[in-house]
Amino acid sequence: MSVSAESPPARMTGQRLRFVQPSRWRLWELPRPVLALVLAVDVAAAVLVAMTSVHATITDTDLVRFAILSAAAVVHLEGARHIERLREITVSGSPYVNLKSLWSFTAVLLLPLPLVAAVVAVTFVYAWARVDGQSTASKKVFTAATFVLASGTAAAVLAASGLVVRPGVPDGPLGALVLVAAGVAWWFVNFALVVGVVALSAPDTSLSKVLGDPADQLIVAAALGLGIGMAALLLHQPWLVAILMLTVLTLHRGFLMPQLQRQVRTDAKTGLLSSQFFAQVADPLLGRLRDQGRPAALLMLDLDDFKAINDELGHPAGDEVLREVASILRAELRDGDLVARYGGDEFVALLPGASTADIDEIGIRVQRALRELRLTVTTTTGQVDLPGLSASIGAALMPEHGNSVDRLLLAADTAESRAKKSGKGRLALAPSTTAAEDVP
């Protein structure tokens, strides 16, 4: 379980650079009670790792198992990253449940605590780089620290039982009870710390939202159970880990995709986000960007002469065109940008961290791809070749043109109308204190 991310991932930006510049972390802007808890947890985790490192004996076998666990964690995170990106956006003000605990609990059963902490570091750094890179660094450090403390507590339970000779999984009914006790200890420490910081950060939030969906805890239980199975395989049949990885990825989708589907609504014709879901996630995302002091851009794209395609070639041909345009937008927009079909032949995209220069570059790429598109569509009279498309694009910037989705949509719509009146295949920036520019 983790503290939810700030925004979806994008390219390497100043936000990522803050990760290695603690003095720039927004950690120091937290209310004092929250700051005190976060720092206490971070320091406690660091002290625990330092103290156990002094007396830890790390063998070559430990290093091999550490490498296998780290590689498996990376494969898992990479395989699930597209789901996790949208899940992170939709979580706000509640604990964020994920399956990273699988790898840390497996490590607890197999490795000395310093290497357990190293596995935690690998999973969080990789997830931050590939899944949720725009998240506040201090939140990721705090959540990783809760994993380390939870792992230390679970390791203490295993050691106190006297049944575990590390590396090893205890046998028999009593051994199973010990494993359950260690798993419960891991869960409780992580859950209590994450819920504590969420509650202190948002004291007006309802208790039910702070605690999250009780069913989510079954996901954590499943992850811890998989950790036991993974540890047993690594001890006795390490080559079967590859088969279990398929199970992990399948269960990840089986557990978490239904959660996502309750919130995500995709456009049936294009596969892009629907306008309803776009509105649902865009405003919280803009709020996070404002808190981070980062800009954003919103683009509205309207295909030129699309009505003629529908009228002359038929709506099935028009649907083929819409799908091709959606493919172009997915290809030309940046990783982490939100793009939706807004209605009819109109599309909208929210670009976190984008500047005027980024808008110009993206606009040029999209217009070029549309012009170079060669598409054969099916009509009532046979196959027809379309020589290319063009679109009018309006752009608005946060904060110059507004701080909410509604204000930015209004500004971008105005700019789009101006682009369409000035000619086909153009991009216009909404009027502001600086002169708007058109990009052919």
Side-chain angles (χ1 to χ4, degrees):
M1 180 176 294
S2 309
V3 180
S4 60
E6 293 295 324
S7 63
R11 294 176 177 176
M12 179 68 74
T13 65
Q15 179 68 15
R16 289 192 178 185
L17 297 178
R18 287 178 180 163
F19 189 81
V20 292
Q21 297 177 355
S23 62
R24 298 180 59 196
W25 288 359
R26 295 190 178 274
L27 166 72
W28 313 116
E29 301 174 8
L30 294 174
R32 286 190 176 183
V34 180
L35 178 61
L37 177 58
V38 169
L39 291 178
V41 170
D42 291 348
V43 170
V47 169
L48 178 62
V49 173
M51 291 178 62
T52 55
S53 297
V54 172
H55 302 291
T57 300
I58 297 176
T59 66
D60 290 343
T61 302
D62 290 332
L63 293 176
V64 170
R65 289 183 176 130
F66 163 75
I68 293 173
L69 280 179
S70 298
V74 165
V75 170
H76 172 210
L77 293 169
E78 185 66 23
R81 69 188 179 95
H82 294 295
I83 300 174
E84 292 304 306
R85 282 178 175 174
L86 285 178
R87 288 187 70 238
E88 286 246 7
I89 298 170
T90 60
V91 176
S92 179
S94 297
Y96 169 60
V97 176
N98 53 56
L99 295 183
K100 294 188 186 79
S101 51
L102 158 63
W103 306 109
S104 62
F105 196 65
T106 303
V108 167
L109 298 172
L110 298 179
L111 302 174
L113 195 60
L115 286 183
V116 176
V119 170
V120 172
V122 168
T123 58
F124 274 85
V125 170
Y126 190 85
W128 182 75
R130 292 289 289 166
V131 179
D132 47 17
Q134 298 305 315
S135 176
T136 301
S138 58
K139 284 191 175 183
K140 289 305 170 190
V141 172
F142 169 78
T143 306
T146 70
F147 272 49
V148 171
L149 293 179
S151 298
T153 305
V157 170
L158 294 171
S161 72
L163 296 178
V164 179
V165 178
R166 188 170 282 104
V169 177
D171 296 326
L174 188 56
L177 289 176
V178 170
L179 289 172
V180 170
V184 170
W186 194 102
W187 166 82
F188 179 78
V189 171
N190 173 251
F191 182 80
L193 293 174
V194 170
V195 167
V197 80
V198 170
L200 287 175
S201 300
D204 296 330
T205 303
S206 66
L207 180 62
S208 61
K209 186 171 184 180
V210 169
L211 294 177
D213 188 344
D216 288 347
Q217 303 315 312
L218 294 177
I219 297 173
V220 179
L224 298 177
L226 280 171
I228 296 172
M230 188 72 72
L233 279 183
L234 280 172
L235 282 172
H236 304 296
Q237 296 290 340
W239 297 110
L240 293 179
V241 168
I243 297 177
L244 188 58
M245 281 300 302
L246 178 61
T247 303
V248 170
L249 290 171
T250 302
L251 287 178
H252 192 121
R253 295 182 64 87
F255 279 131
L256 301 180
M257 185 61 84
Q259 289 186 336
L260 182 60
Q261 288 174 337
R262 286 197 298 266
Q263 297 174 337
V264 174
R265 298 292 183 269
T266 56
D267 175 65
K269 289 184 179 179
T270 64
L272 298 177
L273 299 182
S274 69
S275 58
Q276 293 87 350
F277 181 65
F278 180 86
Q280 179 183 342
V281 298
D283 257 328
L285 175 54
L286 287 177
R288 293 165 186 162
L289 293 170
R290 287 197 304 272
D291 291 343
Q292 296 171 8
R294 298 181 59 225
L298 189 142
L299 302 181
M300 290 194 74
L301 180 149
D302 185 80
L303 293 177
D304 297 321
D305 301 322
F306 181 75
K307 186 176 183 299
I309 294 176
N310 272 340
D311 292 345
E312 297 173 13
L313 303 180
H315 287 278
D319 291 346
E320 289 185 55
V321 170
L322 293 176
R323 285 191 286 271
E324 287 298 323
V325 172
S327 297
I328 287 174
L329 292 177
R330 276 191 289 261
E332 300 300 335
L333 292 175
R334 308 167 309 166
D335 208 6
D337 293 339
L338 297 182
V339 57
R341 182 182 175 215
Y342 200 64
D345 61 329
E346 200 164 39
F347 300 83
V348 61
L350 181 61
L351 286 56
S355 64
T356 303
D358 293 325
I359 293 173
D360 291 346
E361 177 187 351
I362 291 170
I364 290 172
R365 291 206 311 264
V366 170
Q367 298 286 19
R368 181 186 299 120
L370 290 172
R371 286 196 302 268
E372 294 175 354
L373 176 65
R374 298 296 179 265
L375 178 63
T376 300
V377 296
T378 302
T379 72
T380 55
T381 59
Q383 302 290 101
V384 174
D385 294 329
L386 296 180
L389 301 170
S390 67
S392 300
I393 305 175
L397 292 167
M398 183 185 78
E400 288 89 333
H401 303 113
N403 289 315
S404 68
V405 172
D406 288 341
R407 293 294 297 273
L408 293 177
L409 284 171
L410 181 61
D413 185 63
T414 301
E416 178 197 288
S417 298
R418 189 165 68 88
K420 191 170 287 287
K421 290 176 181 177
S422 64
K424 297 179 181 179
R426 301 182 70 82
L427 181 148
L429 184 65
S432 64
T433 53
T434 57
E437 296 180 358
D438 289 346
V439 180

